[in-house]
């Protein structure tokens, strides 16, 4: 027996060494992430290996999002045309802010194929009851198709309302496609969609578990929230589908989130993103480029915007780069609202440079954790910025969950991406980058309204935290690269 144990121990030790070598030399990781995983592997050799297999593997070299070349022609041409026109200084920037931020626009075009759109109008929802009421109304008015994608989709009160509304439209002949993340929506199963599928609706789970027990991609989740109706109306933002997101949670109470309803050409970008995500997991019902999905959009508004996405399948951290470009471009003010604020060194340094340059940095974080280590990592980094002169508010009225970055009352990014490594490196995310003084000022006024429900984190308050809080911060900082 002791001989067998010795053999198993030796094998695990060798596997640990080989795994550590692969992490160090073969995988695209930051030095902090490498050290974090090496520590996990060597301090808890057996469980560390299992933790790595579940949470640590990368997929950046896998082409999981596919669309036929013939279906890409129109959109690829649009991106190439915009890149060339910007480079040759021939792009017509009617909006002066778009011209001012053309380097950011170029970067998102080049790295992310996020074509610039105008002719957009935006409705902002900070009350998720109002968001879902509008969404239900749009679903009931759908005439051709409903494309519905969420990280978390619960079949509770609001979830059943949305499902039943889509079921009725499917019965009427409107095509319904539902994509949910298998881990985020782990209480769901495809069997619960039996009725809508019987009428011709299609439902898929993103990175589904094996035998309903093991998920080989537990750490790489589709965190996107996208709804497209008839190719004319799109939704993007922070909230998922569930009763807690409309304030029906004993733990979190009132839920504070930000979600956008978009009409205009930016819906084409949301449609394309949904098509790519859908085709990555659809077995028999792939979507192809068709005029019904990309109808001609007439005058809707004058807002310029780009829809950018990122994920572990990509070489570049597109949305993080967008945040960095915004921060370094700031001249006067930076406003950030994020439930998880554990930026890597590059983002922290950008914020420090901004503060030292005289830019007013405002940060708002929640007052309670839904993930303990993440919260204490957030608190630690917020405290370090307070000590440099940033203004940090802790939201006290329920749980703060929106992901909003505003620069100089000119450009704003809203979407699903938190300020942490999970969003930057591990999850599949999507954000709207909006070039509009009106929209940026609107979001800044919303921030200022939230301040009324917040407490100010001062240097004195932060330094007065207890020893146990410091211990939790220390542990969180140690494992921050893999949170």
């Amino acid at each position: 027996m002791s001989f067998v144990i010795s053999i198993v121990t030796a094998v695990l030790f060798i596997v640990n060494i080989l795994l550590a070598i692969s992490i160090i030399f073969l995988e695209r990781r930051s030095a902090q992430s490498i050290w974090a995983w090496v520590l996990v592997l060597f301090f808890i050799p057996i469980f560390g290996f299992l933790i790595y297999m579940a949470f640590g593997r990368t997929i950046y070299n896998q082409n999981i999002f596919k669309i036929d070349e013939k279906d890409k022609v129109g959109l690829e041409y649009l991106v190439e045309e915009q890149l060339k026109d910007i480079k040759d200084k021939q792009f017509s920037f009617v909006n002066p802010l778009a011209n001012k931020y053309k380097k950011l626009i170029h970067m998102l075009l080049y790295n992310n194929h996020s074509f610039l759109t105008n002719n957009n109008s935006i409705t902002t929802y900070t009350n998720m009851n109002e968001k879902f009421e509008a969404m239900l109304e749009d679903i009931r008015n759908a005439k051709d198709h409903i494309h519905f994608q969420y990280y978390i989709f619960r079949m509770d009160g609001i979830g059943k309302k949305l499902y039943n509304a889509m079921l009725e439209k499917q019965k009427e002949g409107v095509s319904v496609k539902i994509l949910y993340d298998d881990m985020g929506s782990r209480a769901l199963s495809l069997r619960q969609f039996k009725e809508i599928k019987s009428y011709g609706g299609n439902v898929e789970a993103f990175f589904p578990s094996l035998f309903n027990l093991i998920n080989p991609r537990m750490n790489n989740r589709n965190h996107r929230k996208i709804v497209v109706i008839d190719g004319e109306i799109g939704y993007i933002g922070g909230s998922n589908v569930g009763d807690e997101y409309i304030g029906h949670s004993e733990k979190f109470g009132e839920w504070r989130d930000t979600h956008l309803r978009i009409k205009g050409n930016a819906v084409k970008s949301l449609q394309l993103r949904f098509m790519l995500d859908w085709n990555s997991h659809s077995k028999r019902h792939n979507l192809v480029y068709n005029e019904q999905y990309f109808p001609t959009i007439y005058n809707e508004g004058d807002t310029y915007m780009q829809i950018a996405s990122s994920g572990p399948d990509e070489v570049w951290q597109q949305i993080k780069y967008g945040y960095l470009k915004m921060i370094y471009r700031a001249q006067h003010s930076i406003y950030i609202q994020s439930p998880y604020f554990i930026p890597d060194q590059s983002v922290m340094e950008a914020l420090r440079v901004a503060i030292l340059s005289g830019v007013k940095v405002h940060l708002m974080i929640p007052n309670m954790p839904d993930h303990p280590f993440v919260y204490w990592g957030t608190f630690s980094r917020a405290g370090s910025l307070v000590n440099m002169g940033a203004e940090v508010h802790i939201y006290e009225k329920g749980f703060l969950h929106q992901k909003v970055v505003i620069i100089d009352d000119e450009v704003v990014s809203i979407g699903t991406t938190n300020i942490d490594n999970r969003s930057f490196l591990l999850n599949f995310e999507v954000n709207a980058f909006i070039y509009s003084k009106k929209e940026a000022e609107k979001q800044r006024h919303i921030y200022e309204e939230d301040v009324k429900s917040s407490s100010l984190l001062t240097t004195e308050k932060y330094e007065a935290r207890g020893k146990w809080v410091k211990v939790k911060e220390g542990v969180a900082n140690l494992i921050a690269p893999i949170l």
Side-chain angles (χ1 to χ4, degrees), residues 170-418:
Q170 183 64 53
K171 290 178 180 179
E172 295 174 13
V174 173
S175 173
V176 175
K177 286 181 168 52
I178 300 172
L179 178 65
Y180 65 89
D181 185 85
D182 194 64
M183 287 300 298
S185 307
R186 50 188 169 271
L188 272 184
S189 72
L190 291 174
R191 292 189 299 274
Q192 291 175 267
F193 297 94
K194 182 179 179 180
E195 188 175 9
I196 198 169
K197 289 195 286 185
S198 71
Y199 285 94
N202 305 128
V203 184
E204 296 290 348
F206 191 91
F207 279 168
S209 300
L210 301 176
F211 312 111
N212 295 322
L213 294 173
I214 303 170
N215 197 302
R217 288 300 176 195
M218 188 178 295
N219 211 33
N220 302 122
R221 308 317 311 177
N222 197 318
H223 197 235
R224 296 168 184 147
K225 296 95 177 171
I226 296 172
V227 176
V228 177
I229 298 168
D230 293 341
E232 298 176 349
I233 298 170
Y235 285 84
I236 182 176
S239 84
N240 293 289
V241 175
D243 285 348
E244 69 263 43
Y245 300 99
I246 55 176
H248 298 171
S249 169
E250 291 184 7
K251 179 180 179 181
F252 297 113
E254 187 170 328
W255 193 272
R256 173 65 184 88
D257 224 316
T258 296
H259 221 90
L260 304 180
R261 178 183 185 269
I262 300 169
K263 294 192 70 177
N265 287 323
V267 179
K268 299 178 188 294
S269 297
L270 289 174
Q271 184 79 285
L272 177 61
R273 182 69 264 168
F274 177 87
M275 291 174 67
L276 291 168
D277 286 10
W278 176 264
N279 288 352
S280 71
H281 282 72
S282 174
K283 299 175 180 63
R284 296 180 299 276
H285 306 287
N286 277 14
L287 289 166
V288 298
Y289 189 90
N290 190 297
E291 289 185 3
Q292 73 186 96
Y293 300 132
F294 299 92
T296 301
I297 303 292
Y298 297 100
N299 187 35
E300 290 292 348
D302 57 0
T303 302
Y304 277 66
M305 61 193 300
Q306 291 172 285
I307 303 296
S309 57
S310 64
D313 60 311
E314 301 283 352
V315 175
W316 310 111
Q317 300 172 49
Q318 290 96 325
I319 294 178
K320 186 186 89 168
Y321 289 177
Y323 284 164
L324 282 170
K325 190 69 175 175
M326 289 171 68
I327 292 168
Y328 278 120
R329 186 67 179 79
Q331 299 294 309
H332 309 290
S333 63
I334 299 169
Y335 289 83
I336 299 173
Q337 290 177 298
S338 180
Y340 316 125
F341 183 77
I342 313 180
D344 62 11
Q345 185 174 352
S346 65
V347 177
M348 281 298 288
E349 286 184 352
L351 290 170
R352 292 183 186 120
V353 168
I355 294 170
L356 293 173
S357 302
V359 177
K360 298 295 184 182
V361 173
H362 308 260
L363 171 65
M364 187 175 293
I365 59 175
N367 74 331
M368 65 181 81
D370 63 341
H371 302 291
F373 284 120
V374 174
Y375 179 77
W376 294 114
T378 293
F379 193 69
S380 173
R381 281 156 179 74
S384 70
L385 292 180
V386 165
N387 289 335
M388 289 191 67
E391 185 178 273
V392 175
H393 283 94
I394 300 177
Y395 189 75
E396 304 287 354
K397 189 180 177 182
F399 189 70
L400 178 131
H401 190 253
Q402 69 268 34
K403 306 93 169 57
V404 180
V405 179
I406 314 162
I407 303 297
D408 290 345
D409 279 359
E410 293 180 338
V411 59
V412 57
S413 181
I414 300 171
T416 68
T417 311
N418 297 301

Side-chain angles (χ1 to χ4, degrees), residues 17-30 34 38 52 56-61:
I17 291 176
L18 294 175
L19 198 53
I21 291 172
S22 73
I23 291 172
I24 293 170
F25 295 107
L26 301 180
E27 295 190 2
R28 176 178 59 90
R29 296 181 184 272
S30 65
I34 289 173
V38 168
Y52 174 82
R57 294 181 299 157
T58 59
I59 60 171
Y60 72 92
N61 60 341

